[in-house]
Amino acid sequence: MANYSHPEVLVETDWVKQNLGKPGIKLIEIDVDTKGYDAGHIPGAVGFNWQTQLQDQLRRDIISEEAFEKLLGDAGISPSDTVVLYGDNNNWFAAYGFWLFKIYGHKDVRLMNGGRVKWLNEPDKELTTERPKIVSTQYRASGPDLSLRVMLSEVLRAQPGKTCNLVDVRSPDEFTGKVIAPPGMTETAQRGGHIPGAKGIPWSTAVGPDGTFKSVDELRTIYVDQKGVDPKKETIAYCRIGERSSHTWFVLKYLLGLSNVRNYDGSWTEYGSIVAAPIEK
Amino acid sequence: MLPSEENPTPLVRLNRLNPHADFPLYAKLEWMNPFGSVKDRAAWALLRDLEERGELANGRGLVEPTSGNTGISLAAMARARGHRLLAVVPNKVPLEKKVLLKIAGADLEVISDELCPAPGLGDGSINLAKTHAKASAHKYAMPNQYENSKNVEAHYRTTGPEIWKQTEGKITHLFVSLGTCGTVTGTAKFLREKNPKIKIIAVQPTEGHDVPGLRNISQLGVSKLFDSSLVDDIIEVDFHLAYTRALDLCQNEGLLAGPSSGLILEGALEIVARDKSGFGVMIFPDNIFKYTSNMIKHIPGLGSGTQP
Ligand SMILES: Cc1ncc(COP(=O)(O)O)c(C=O)c1O
């Protein structure tokens, strides 16, 4: 598939259609607004709510290992299953889910290229309001791989340009500080702007008009040749709350195959509220 | 009740806001449609088409994405004829319109706005309505005003001929806004057939705007009805001016026009200054009553003194 470094983590809508209902293949729709799932989802797909099911509801954090095990167990998933994720907002939240599944060591997790909108707009693809019948499992995660995640202290120590690439995937108006968050968003920060040394490469750079990923050659031209992401250095991606950056993290790590890519999920809502942290506009 | 060549919506001349005597500007008051906006024309055509094709038999209802006006027209007409409408609206739509939709008898589904819109993508009200129509096809038929040629036809059949007759063929410039593009495509097609020289000017708000019903060119991908060969100029206007110009119309012309009309006026005044002579018609889609909360948001000081 388009010569991606790790083609096995991406499936097309047609592949999903051909494999509907096959044992060992599980579908999960991950939405920030689950009205989409409720109105209609791919037959057999379980729905996850990004805000209430993938976030710790007490402190600001990803869900704990136990919570992840319970979530997957209740969704009838086993560690050996092939899990295909897709969702709203161009798969941002599905990409965040992918990142979380990788942190908790799920072996075979994939994204459906183009997300729910692509499936919806293809005439031969069905949607249903029926919820799947689930036989719950005892899911056991394998220890968290925290190398995929960057915490604030490391971001503050990082030297973008020198020791690492720092990629800000938000919209140009967020990058320049014209707005702190897209209009109407509740999660925001105290200040607008970006982390000094970050390159502004909006998440949408990676996709075509139908929301599917660009080819590896196009991606390499954009990220490496034009935007100057140095493949030899570590790369950190961030956005506002860590979901758009999961999308770019996925692109850089699995499609382009950069060796060390991490997601800063604290992102601007954390960094932009730190007292005395340097900001560029 | 609905307008037609014999019974058109009014066309009135601006007296104060247009300084150019050689280029009169006329406003076509679309809020004089029975349910308060230009969208009555499209809604009626869409509804009749579904009925005629038997799509609404056996209690099947309708689902439609709308910024309010189409939904209000459709809901009122549908309820009068015994059908139900589920209106899917973006959260940005003003509260007045959401409540009016319920008053008109629509079921309402409000969705969160696009988080970080990208050209041609996103989930939005259109895709949620499509989801309902696909997953619950037995419950809902979707007219889809963004893709349905009946929307264009309605304007080709009514708006265009009305303007031609009301201006006695003197129109040189048509000023419109772009939403589904039914208005521009249908009206322009008719007028161009009568006189190929008529200039069609579309006025669009700046990106990231807050003018319900309208689209910036970057958002136009969703409308399958836009025909660029029928448009001479697309003028971009700072969206805040939609609100200040609407206020000007209310206070200086006695026309209680809504923000998309304000935007069209601003674009028309730019062309009047450029072309110097002509005979302009502006299509004013609806009036201000549904936008008081938006006016408070965008006109400084308007909200003050409204509490004891
Ligand atoms: C207030 C308002 N102005 C303008 C328009 C644009 O008209 P059209 O959809 O025919 O392009 C609409 C349509 O939704 C509207 O509601």
Side-chain angles (χ1 to χ4, degrees):
Chain A
M1 188 189 294
N3 295 322
Y4 295 134
S5 281
H6 301 276
E8 69 282 1
V9 295
L10 192 65
V11 296
E12 298 300 323
T13 49
D14 285 339
W15 184 93
V16 172
K17 185 185 172 194
Q18 282 150 21
N19 288 282
L20 280 183
K22 293 225 175 115
I25 296 181
K26 301 283 167 64
L27 287 170
I28 303 175
E29 173 164 337
I30 303 180
D31 295 338
V32 66
D33 183 351
T34 50
K35 280 200 196 73
Y37 178 85
D38 296 339
H41 48 264
I42 301 180
V46 176
F48 284 175
N49 181 321
W50 177 80
Q51 303 201 38
T52 59
Q53 291 180 288
L54 302 190
Q55 306 291 310
D56 189 292
Q57 295 300 292
L58 181 59
R59 57 183 195 176
R60 185 178 173 194
D61 206 348
I62 57 174
I63 49 173
S64 67
E65 187 162 342
E66 292 98 73
F68 182 81
E69 289 175 336
K70 169 123 182 31
L71 181 70
L72 266 64
D74 289 350
I77 289 166
S78 303
S80 60
D81 282 337
T82 295
V83 175
V84 177
L85 306 176
Y86 73 97
D88 64 4
N89 280 284
N90 265 292
N91 270 345
W92 299 345
F93 298 91
Y96 182 99
F98 184 99
W99 174 71
L100 191 67
F101 272 64
K102 283 293 182 197
I103 286 180
Y104 288 126
H106 192 88
K107 287 256 156 29
D108 187 0
V109 54
R110 311 177 186 194
L111 268 190
M112 183 177 86
N113 206 1
R116 69 168 281 126
V117 167
K118 177 143 194 291
W119 179 277
L120 167 68
N121 285 292
E122 290 174 344
D124 65 324
K125 307 293 192 294
E126 270 181 61
L127 288 175
T128 181
T129 54
E130 220 171 280
R131 282 163 199 269
K133 292 184 188 58
I134 290 166
V135 185
S136 55
T137 61
Q138 290 287 330
Y139 189 93
R140 283 285 159 264
S142 61
D145 177 3
L146 294 174
S147 73
L148 304 177
R149 186 185 202 194
V150 187
M151 304 301 276
L152 176 68
S153 55
E154 295 166 90
V155 174
L156 290 170
R157 260 187 275 117
Q159 293 181 295
K162 283 203 192 118
T163 59
C164 71
N165 308 293
L166 187 60
V167 179
D168 183 322
V169 313
R170 296 172 302 159
S171 59
D173 280 354
E174 292 170 273
F175 185 76
T176 58
K178 189 174 161 201
V179 300
I180 294 182
M185 290 300 103
T186 43
E187 311 97 338
T188 141
Q190 294 298 318
R191 288 288 187 267
H194 58 263
I195 304 175
K199 299 174 197 298
I201 317 176
W203 70 275
S204 54
T205 314
V207 299
D210 67 349
T212 59
F213 294 110
K214 289 178 180 164
S215 73
V216 74
D217 292 336
E218 285 172 283
L219 292 172
R220 192 176 302 107
T221 304
I222 295 167
Y223 286 92
V224 180
D225 303 342
Q226 291 171 3
K227 302 288 181 180
V229 172
D230 182 348
K232 290 193 283 299
K233 290 181 186 140
E234 172 190 7
T235 301
I236 297 171
Y238 76 94
C239 59
R240 183 178 56 102
I241 49 174
E243 81 311 10
R244 282 174 286 180
S245 55
S246 302
H247 187 272
T248 295
W249 169 83
F250 178 88
V251 169
L252 297 179
K253 185 171 172 70
Y254 292 94
L255 305 186
L256 263 184
L258 302 193
S259 57
N260 188 359
V261 192
R262 299 196 286 161
N263 184 25
Y264 171 38
D265 59 311
S267 278
W268 192 255
T269 47
E270 178 176 51
Y271 190 95
S273 298
I274 297 296
V275 174
I279 289 180
E280 233 170 54
K281 272 202 168 185
Chain B
M1 226 174 30
L2 287 158
S4 63
E5 206 175 332
E6 293 73 43
N7 174 37
T9 53
L11 191 70
V12 301
R13 186 174 166 151
L14 289 198
N15 295 314
R16 300 226 222 153
L17 293 175
N18 174 19
H20 293 263
D22 292 337
F23 201 145
L25 280 177
Y26 287 80
K28 191 156 174 63
L29 308 185
E30 287 300 301
W31 59 79
M32 299 302 279
N33 275 280
F35 301 106
S37 81
V38 67
K39 304 306 299 209
D40 274 13
R41 299 178 189 266
W44 181 245
L46 297 170
L47 182 63
R48 289 296 297 154
D49 177 55
L50 286 178
E51 282 184 344
E52 276 159 22
R53 289 192 286 114
E55 295 279 345
L56 300 178
N58 304 322
R60 191 172 180 227
L62 300 97
V63 61
E64 184 70 354
T66 167
S67 64
N69 281 336
T70 304
I72 292 165
S73 305
L74 258 185
M77 293 173 188
R79 285 299 285 259
R81 301 174 72 82
H83 317 295
R84 287 200 78 91
L85 168 75
L86 172 61
V88 184
V89 304
N91 193 32
K92 251 191 173 179
V93 165
L95 178 67
E96 296 92 316
K97 281 188 171 177
K98 292 176 190 161
V99 178
L100 275 166
L101 278 164
K102 294 179 76 173
I103 292 173
D107 298 314
L108 191 62
E109 187 159 58
V110 179
I111 61 144
S112 37
D113 298 314
E114 300 283 319
L115 299 176
C116 177
L121 289 170
D123 299 85
S125 50
I126 299 176
N127 282 322
L128 188 59
K130 278 188 184 170
T131 302
H132 282 298
K134 198 166 187 175
S136 307
H138 58 291
K139 271 167 67 183
Y140 301 113
M142 178 170 166
N144 199 350
Q145 53 171 335
Y146 289 94
E147 298 180 13
N148 193 322
S149 61
K150 296 288 166 192
N151 179 356
V152 173
E153 246 176 79
H155 294 281
Y156 181 80
R157 224 174 358 87
T158 64
T159 321
E162 287 173 36
I163 292 172
W164 187 250
K165 189 167 174 197
Q166 286 172 303
T167 64
E168 296 164 346
K170 286 192 289 224
I171 176 174
T172 61
H173 292 68
L174 177 74
F175 300 98
V176 287
S177 55
L178 308 172
T180 64
C181 299
T183 306
V184 62
T185 304
T187 312
K189 191 160 160 244
F190 181 88
L191 293 174
R192 280 273 186 83
E193 280 171 19
K194 289 290 178 186
N195 173 6
K197 291 213 194 83
I198 294 176
K199 288 213 166 76
I200 312 294
I201 316 287
V203 190
Q204 61 161 349
T206 37
E207 250 181 276
H209 68 87
D210 184 20
V211 186
L214 300 195
R215 287 178 182 270
N216 177 277
I217 276 292
S218 65
Q219 306 166 293
L220 264 191
V222 299
S223 175
K224 304 281 186 293
L225 307 179
F226 182 64
D227 178 351
S228 60
S229 74
L230 288 172
V231 178
D232 295 277
D233 278 303
I234 299 183
I235 302 194
E236 187 173 270
V237 169
D238 177 358
F239 84 83
H240 296 95
L241 285 170
Y243 289 93
T244 44
R245 284 302 188 184
L247 194 67
D248 286 345
L249 284 163
C250 294
Q251 299 184 344
N252 299 307
E253 295 281 354
L255 295 175
L256 296 185
S260 64
S261 306
L263 190 88
I264 292 170
L265 170 64
E266 177 63 25
L269 290 174
E270 282 182 27
I271 295 295
V272 165
R274 182 191 83 184
D275 290 0
K276 303 288 191 307
S277 74
F279 190 109
V281 172
M282 306 174 289
I283 298 185
F284 279 6
D286 65 356
N287 64 22
I288 196 74
F289 298 148
K290 286 166 275 187
Y291 303 97
T292 52
S293 59
N294 278 36
M295 288 293 279
I296 287 173
K297 236 193 283 175
H298 297 297
I299 303 282
L302 194 61
S304 68
T306 58
Q307 301 287 319

